[in-house]
Amino acid sequence: AQSVTQLGSHVSVSEGALVLLRCNYSSSVPPYLFWYVQYPNQGLQLLLKYTSAATLVKGINGFEAEFKKSETSFHLTKPSAHMSDAAEYFCAVSATGANSKLTFGKGITLSVRP
Amino acid sequence: GAGVSQSPSNKVTEKGKDVELRCDPISGHTALYWYRQSLGQGLEFLIYFQGNSAPDKSGLPSDRFSAERTGGSVSTLTIQRTQQEDSAVYLCASSFSGNQPQHFGDGTRLSIL
């Protein structure tokens, strides 16, 4: 069984500040890990994915995440927040086999203050 | 279009009616997934299709829910005798194969009166 924990439901940062969104996972097998972003009334857009290659993964829009097996974490960071980053962010885990159905965390809403 | 297309974008119906939601995946994508997004339950997996293999229906919440995928392309999610708890956004995703990143449509927002 797999699960994802995203602590807190809302994070607020100032424009230009560091963004850190936390994600911890539980998996009985080596997982694939993902971060998705969702803007209002839209579907999910893939930010980045970890698939057992490099542990530091770079994604779109300046985001990156580091896979830490010892901490079972996959936290999302961005050095400098932009107003356009305001959205809901979901961490997800899947098995590495053919059926990669995603198990999602509850999501975190990121607000960016001017 | 280049992305996953879902229709209708919004559906309002009365309790007890049947509804059909449509998903048109990205051309060439063999894997197709349905998810449900609701306030109480978050994002939940419903069903997975891969080529001609038997679908993984393990996420369907009740026998009122069914889905089919015709010709390995378009998929229809059917909810029979709708209940108010079925109100949610239903998201469809497709991928090139079963272990590739999934691309999501914008969803169908279903409201049961």
Side-chain angles (χ1 to χ4, degrees), chain A residues 36 38 43 98-102, chain B residues 35 37 56 58 98-99 102 105:
Chain A
Y36 282 87
Q38 186 176 35
N99 181 347
S100 294
K101 59 187 177 186
L102 295 167
Chain B
Y35 296 88
Q37 185 173 25
D56 175 359
S58 61
N99 60 359
Q102 296 171 33

Side-chain angles (χ1 to χ4, degrees), chain A residues 32 34 36 38 40-46 49 51 88 90 94-106, chain B residues 33 35 37 40-45 48 50 56 58-59 89 91 97-107 109:
Chain A
Y32 287 167
F34 306 82
Y36 282 87
Q38 186 176 35
N41 298 314
Q42 293 186 22
L44 300 168
Q45 181 182 6
L46 180 67
K49 63 184 187 293
T51 57
E88 191 161 15
F90 293 91
S94 77
T96 58
N99 181 347
S100 294
K101 59 187 177 186
L102 295 167
T103 300
F104 289 91
K106 292 191 175 299
Chain B
Y33 304 79
Y35 296 88
Q37 185 173 25
Q41 302 300 320
L43 273 157
E44 307 171 281
F45 164 78
Y48 161 69
Q50 171 62 60
D56 175 359
S58 61
V89 177
L91 293 166
S97 63
N99 60 359
Q100 295 297 310
Q102 296 171 33
H103 300 263
F104 283 79
D106 287 341
R109 183 174 298 277

